[in-house]
Amino acid sequence: PISPVNLKGLKLGTHTMEVRMDGYETWSDSVIISADKENRLTAVLQQLSGALNIKSEPAKAIIIVDGKKAGNTPKDITGLVPGKHLVEVRIEGYGNWSESVDIEHSKQVSLIVELQQLTGSLNIKSEPASATIIVDDNEVGNTPAVITDLKPGKHHVGVRMKGYASWSEDVEIS
């Protein structure tokens, strides 16, 4: 029968009562049936949950599930209610990653997130123009130029041209 239900005519003695519903743990309890006594039972069903296993490159990134911090990668997150969850992964110096993840009961979703490192750029000009630009011992073009996709940190930048003194300096890219 479907709850709520009123059962009559049960034999006297101990009976095990079970309540089942898809997506929920089975609830059970023993009840003693005696003459002329009404027993009332309330079954509180626990929803079956799913899990998320999340790893990232680089590791130790912050995990946020539905706006709440859930730890750092790598991590198993259990007890997630089935349905869509917004999962975000963040670490300083890298672009944020986010995705809506569908969690199913009694299943684990595995994610491997590759975070993209943020980069900076360098705008360099010289007088006279058309000098060779060297960044970290690599020729990257001629002046004037904007050098993009430089990883944050110190870079050795130089400019040279035949017949002129070379120029170089350490530059901090953020």
Side-chain angles (χ1 to χ4, degrees), residues 98-110:
S98 68
E99 188 172 295
S100 180
V101 177
D102 194 20
I103 300 294
E104 296 180 39
H105 71 76
S106 305
K107 292 186 180 175
Q108 182 179 56
V109 174
S110 292

PDB file of all heavy atoms in Angstrom, residues 98-110:
ATOM      1  N   SER A  98      34.233  26.349 -13.657  1.00  0.00           N
ATOM      2  CA  SER A  98      32.940  26.001 -13.066  1.00  0.00           C
ATOM      3  C   SER A  98      32.123  25.209 -14.076  1.00  0.00           C
ATOM      4  O   SER A  98      32.274  25.368 -15.290  1.00  0.00           O
ATOM      5  CB  SER A  98      32.174  27.248 -12.617  1.00  0.00           C
ATOM      6  OG  SER A  98      31.766  28.008 -13.720  1.00  0.00           O
ATOM      7  N   GLU A  99      31.286  24.345 -13.519  1.00  0.00           N
ATOM      8  CA  GLU A  99      30.446  23.502 -14.372  1.00  0.00           C
ATOM      9  C   GLU A  99      29.269  22.995 -13.548  1.00  0.00           C
ATOM     10  O   GLU A  99      29.389  22.748 -12.356  1.00  0.00           O
ATOM     11  CB  GLU A  99      31.271  22.308 -14.882  1.00  0.00           C
ATOM     12  CG  GLU A  99      30.559  21.469 -15.917  1.00  0.00           C
ATOM     13  CD  GLU A  99      31.483  20.430 -16.536  1.00  0.00           C
ATOM     14  OE1 GLU A  99      32.447  20.825 -17.205  1.00  0.00           O
ATOM     15  OE2 GLU A  99      31.224  19.234 -16.321  1.00  0.00           O
ATOM     16  N   SER A 100      28.137  22.826 -14.199  1.00  0.00           N
ATOM     17  CA  SER A 100      26.983  22.212 -13.554  1.00  0.00           C
ATOM     18  C   SER A 100      27.152  20.700 -13.676  1.00  0.00           C
ATOM     19  O   SER A 100      27.329  20.180 -14.771  1.00  0.00           O
ATOM     20  CB  SER A 100      25.695  22.669 -14.242  1.00  0.00           C
ATOM     21  OG  SER A 100      24.588  22.077 -13.624  1.00  0.00           O
ATOM     22  N   VAL A 101      27.117  20.008 -12.540  1.00  0.00           N
ATOM     23  CA  VAL A 101      27.362  18.562 -12.516  1.00  0.00           C
ATOM     24  C   VAL A 101      26.099  17.866 -12.041  1.00  0.00           C
ATOM     25  O   VAL A 101      25.508  18.255 -11.027  1.00  0.00           O
ATOM     26  CB  VAL A 101      28.550  18.233 -11.575  1.00  0.00           C
ATOM     27  CG1 VAL A 101      28.766  16.734 -11.490  1.00  0.00           C
ATOM     28  CG2 VAL A 101      29.809  18.931 -12.057  1.00  0.00           C
ATOM     29  N   ASP A 102      25.676  16.833 -12.767  1.00  0.00           N
ATOM     30  CA  ASP A 102      24.473  16.079 -12.420  1.00  0.00           C
ATOM     31  C   ASP A 102      24.866  14.902 -11.527  1.00  0.00           C
ATOM     32  O   ASP A 102      25.610  14.022 -11.945  1.00  0.00           O
ATOM     33  CB  ASP A 102      23.772  15.586 -13.686  1.00  0.00           C
ATOM     34  CG  ASP A 102      22.362  15.098 -13.421  1.00  0.00           C
ATOM     35  OD1 ASP A 102      21.788  15.476 -12.385  1.00  0.00           O
ATOM     36  OD2 ASP A 102      21.835  14.324 -14.244  1.00  0.00           O
ATOM     37  N   ILE A 103      24.389  14.908 -10.296  1.00  0.00           N
ATOM     38  CA  ILE A 103      24.677  13.851  -9.323  1.00  0.00           C
ATOM     39  C   ILE A 103      23.492  12.895  -9.282  1.00  0.00           C
ATOM     40  O   ILE A 103      22.344  13.317  -9.212  1.00  0.00           O
ATOM     41  CB  ILE A 103      24.925  14.453  -7.913  1.00  0.00           C
ATOM     42  CG1 ILE A 103      26.120  15.407  -7.930  1.00  0.00           C
ATOM     43  CG2 ILE A 103      25.096  13.350  -6.879  1.00  0.00           C
ATOM     44  CD1 ILE A 103      27.451  14.775  -8.204  1.00  0.00           C
ATOM     45  N   GLU A 104      23.801  11.593  -9.347  1.00  0.00           N
ATOM     46  CA  GLU A 104      22.771  10.562  -9.249  1.00  0.00           C
ATOM     47  C   GLU A 104      22.971   9.791  -7.956  1.00  0.00           C
ATOM     48  O   GLU A 104      24.099   9.632  -7.488  1.00  0.00           O
ATOM     49  CB  GLU A 104      22.865   9.606 -10.433  1.00  0.00           C
ATOM     50  CG  GLU A 104      22.592  10.269 -11.777  1.00  0.00           C
ATOM     51  CD  GLU A 104      22.705   9.284 -12.920  1.00  0.00           C
ATOM     52  OE1 GLU A 104      22.273   8.128 -12.762  1.00  0.00           O
ATOM     53  OE2 GLU A 104      23.244   9.675 -13.966  1.00  0.00           O
ATOM     54  N   HIS A 105      21.851   9.289  -7.399  1.00  0.00           N
ATOM     55  CA  HIS A 105      21.985   8.564  -6.135  1.00  0.00           C
ATOM     56  C   HIS A 105      22.770   7.271  -6.335  1.00  0.00           C
ATOM     57  O   HIS A 105      22.704   6.637  -7.382  1.00  0.00           O
ATOM     58  CB  HIS A 105      20.625   8.317  -5.470  1.00  0.00           C
ATOM     59  CG  HIS A 105      19.746   7.314  -6.156  1.00  0.00           C
ATOM     60  ND1 HIS A 105      19.941   5.965  -6.074  1.00  0.00           N
ATOM     61  CD2 HIS A 105      18.650   7.491  -6.930  1.00  0.00           C
ATOM     62  CE1 HIS A 105      19.010   5.334  -6.755  1.00  0.00           C
ATOM     63  NE2 HIS A 105      18.215   6.237  -7.300  1.00  0.00           N
ATOM     64  N   SER A 106      23.552   6.948  -5.323  1.00  0.00           N
ATOM     65  CA  SER A 106      24.368   5.734  -5.266  1.00  0.00           C
ATOM     66  C   SER A 106      25.453   5.671  -6.336  1.00  0.00           C
ATOM     67  O   SER A 106      25.952   4.596  -6.652  1.00  0.00           O
ATOM     68  CB  SER A 106      23.485   4.487  -5.346  1.00  0.00           C
ATOM     69  OG  SER A 106      22.490   4.526  -4.345  1.00  0.00           O
ATOM     70  N   LYS A 107      25.802   6.814  -6.924  1.00  0.00           N
ATOM     71  CA  LYS A 107      26.855   6.850  -7.943  1.00  0.00           C
ATOM     72  C   LYS A 107      27.853   7.941  -7.609  1.00  0.00           C
ATOM     73  O   LYS A 107      27.535   8.900  -6.923  1.00  0.00           O
ATOM     74  CB  LYS A 107      26.269   7.093  -9.331  1.00  0.00           C
ATOM     75  CG  LYS A 107      25.432   5.943  -9.838  1.00  0.00           C
ATOM     76  CD  LYS A 107      24.989   6.159 -11.263  1.00  0.00           C
ATOM     77  CE  LYS A 107      24.151   4.981 -11.725  1.00  0.00           C
ATOM     78  NZ  LYS A 107      23.615   5.194 -13.051  1.00  0.00           N
ATOM     79  N   GLN A 108      29.085   7.784  -8.142  1.00  0.00           N
ATOM     80  CA  GLN A 108      30.124   8.788  -7.945  1.00  0.00           C
ATOM     81  C   GLN A 108      30.529   9.361  -9.301  1.00  0.00           C
ATOM     82  O   GLN A 108      30.786   8.616 -10.241  1.00  0.00           O
ATOM     83  CB  GLN A 108      31.355   8.180  -7.264  1.00  0.00           C
ATOM     84  CG  GLN A 108      32.437   9.216  -7.004  1.00  0.00           C
ATOM     85  CD  GLN A 108      33.640   8.619  -6.298  1.00  0.00           C
ATOM     86  OE1 GLN A 108      34.223   7.670  -6.770  1.00  0.00           O
ATOM     87  NE2 GLN A 108      33.991   9.192  -5.166  1.00  0.00           N
ATOM     88  N   VAL A 109      30.551  10.682  -9.387  1.00  0.00           N
ATOM     89  CA  VAL A 109      31.015  11.374 -10.583  1.00  0.00           C
ATOM     90  C   VAL A 109      32.479  11.730 -10.358  1.00  0.00           C
ATOM     91  O   VAL A 109      32.839  12.225  -9.296  1.00  0.00           O
ATOM     92  CB  VAL A 109      30.194  12.665 -10.839  1.00  0.00           C
ATOM     93  CG1 VAL A 109      30.774  13.461 -11.989  1.00  0.00           C
ATOM     94  CG2 VAL A 109      28.736  12.317 -11.103  1.00  0.00           C
ATOM     95  N   SER A 110      33.336  11.448 -11.336  1.00  0.00           N
ATOM     96  CA  SER A 110      34.761  11.790 -11.240  1.00  0.00           C
ATOM     97  C   SER A 110      35.073  12.922 -12.203  1.00  0.00           C
ATOM     98  O   SER A 110      34.695  12.867 -13.374  1.00  0.00           O
ATOM     99  CB  SER A 110      35.623  10.576 -11.568  1.00  0.00           C
ATOM    100  OG  SER A 110      35.485   9.601 -10.575  1.00  0.00           O
TER     101      SER A 110
END
